[in-house]
Amino acid sequence: MHNRLKGVIAAIPTPISQNGEPDVSLFMKAARHLLAHGCDGLNVLGTTGEATSFSLAQRSALMSAIAGSDLPKERLMVGTGAASVADATALTCHAAVCGFAGALLLPPFYYKGVSDDGVFRYLEQVVRASAKPSIAVYLYHFPALAGVRYDAPLVSRLLKAFPDRIAGLKDSSGDMEYARQMAMLSPSFDVFPSTEACLAEARTGRFAGCISATANLNSADCAKAFHHGDDAALARAVAVRTSFDGHPLIPGVKARMAQMLGEPSLANVLPPMMPRSPAMI
């Protein structure tokens, strides 16, 4: 089995230069800040990282830059999902070569009403192709955006077929009963809800931790809540999360992080998103 990720994982945004490319130097600054201020790990090129708005070449280039840096790859999970199985396979294989601790895979998200057999076939191709060198695969359950689910029968089937590769699941559904059901499938299957509110349950061992966009802003309190049982810190962390209710999450997180790090360009977003300012949240 691979190194198991655990704890507070920030879904780090991707800084964007004026010409629409990932800003590697600013990414490194943000990543080092987060890892030094409470984050046990980072989810690179996830939804908050606007991964599906970048090209395959741009995503691969950022992965390569990270691989060549001093960032601890054993603490980094990278999003490799794509509508095309060929692109998802290429990204996952590249993530393995780069040494990331895990690849976070959306299900194929363009066609709707696809069968579990179809999703299994997609995952099977990606997992088998990325066997040498291998990388831990984390399923990314986000039905509101993907429109395709990772439900228990499918996940159980994947765990049976690839017990040494399917390492866990990020749940962005907001359905805590679903997350609890997934966490009961196997003791080696690590579930990460996308809200800081789960950290009290994570302390008991039910969940492996959380993977959250707002952990970019409240990582110190999240760490106190998870590692030290600080309920006051947990309440503060959850308050940051709820402050985004009714507001666009990704532009808002980027705007606040730009302010926090003193880097105005960190607020840049790719179309179709529109930039925000901290005052708009």
Side-chain angles (χ1 to χ4, degrees):
M1 289 295 290
H2 298 80
N3 175 56
R4 292 174 69 167
L5 295 162
K6 186 177 181 180
V8 177
I9 299 179
I12 184 172
T14 307
I16 298 165
S17 68
Q18 291 301 318
N19 63 358
E21 295 292 323
D23 186 329
V24 173
S25 63
L26 188 48
F27 175 91
M28 299 297 176
K29 177 179 178 178
R32 292 185 182 106
H33 171 86
L34 291 167
L35 292 170
H37 289 83
C39 285
D40 297 294
L42 301 176
N43 171 202
V44 179
L45 288 170
T47 301
T48 307
E50 299 174 80
T52 56
S53 294
F54 288 108
S55 69
L56 182 68
Q58 288 171 320
R59 293 167 73 176
S60 296
L62 181 57
M63 287 188 211
S64 295
I66 294 167
S69 76
D70 61 355
L71 292 181
K73 269 66 74 178
E74 71 277 6
R75 295 168 65 184
L76 307 182
M77 170 193 297
V78 61
T80 60
S84 156
V85 69
D87 285 351
T89 298
L91 288 166
T92 305
C93 289
H94 190 56
V97 170
C98 287
F100 284 91
L104 183 65
L105 270 171
L106 282 164
F109 51 80
Y110 179 77
Y111 295 107
K112 306 303 181 280
V114 296
S115 66
D116 280 1
D117 285 344
V119 179
F120 182 90
R121 184 181 178 210
Y122 173 99
L123 266 292
E124 180 181 38
Q125 182 166 325
V126 175
V127 170
R128 292 195 187 283
S130 58
K132 292 183 180 180
S134 69
I135 186 169
V137 171
Y138 292 82
L139 309 176
Y140 188 6
H141 184 67
F142 201 172
L145 290 187
V148 179
R149 297 179 59 87
Y150 284 124
D151 282 328
L154 173 59
V155 175
S156 296
R157 183 179 172 189
L158 288 164
L159 284 169
K160 183 177 180 180
F162 308 108
D164 296 329
R165 296 292 308 285
I166 304 298
L169 177 142
K170 179 190 176 185
D171 176 33
S172 292
S173 70
D175 182 349
M176 291 304 297
E177 285 307 312
Y178 167 87
R180 295 180 186 111
Q181 180 188 25
M182 292 299 104
M184 292 175 64
L185 291 177
S186 167
S188 63
F189 187 63
D190 294 328
V191 174
F192 296 86
S194 63
T195 172
E196 296 87 336
C198 80
L199 289 173
E201 286 186 74
R203 288 200 302 262
T204 71
R206 171 172 280 168
F207 302 125
C210 76
I211 301 174
S212 169
T214 44
N216 290 288
L217 309 174
N218 58 16
S219 57
D221 277 335
C222 287
K224 291 175 185 176
F226 180 71
H227 293 289
H228 306 295
D230 188 331
D231 289 333
L234 178 59
R236 291 193 299 270
V238 171
V240 171
R241 180 78 183 195
T242 57
S243 72
F244 284 87
D245 289 351
H247 299 284
L249 181 62
I250 297 166
V253 165
K254 294 188 87 169
R256 286 198 188 174
M257 200 170 178
Q259 186 180 55
M260 181 175 74
L261 295 182
E263 295 283 358
S265 66
L266 215 166
N268 294 342
V269 291
L270 289 173
M273 301 215 182
M274 294 296 294
R276 308 278 288 185
S277 71
M280 297 169 72
I281 303 167

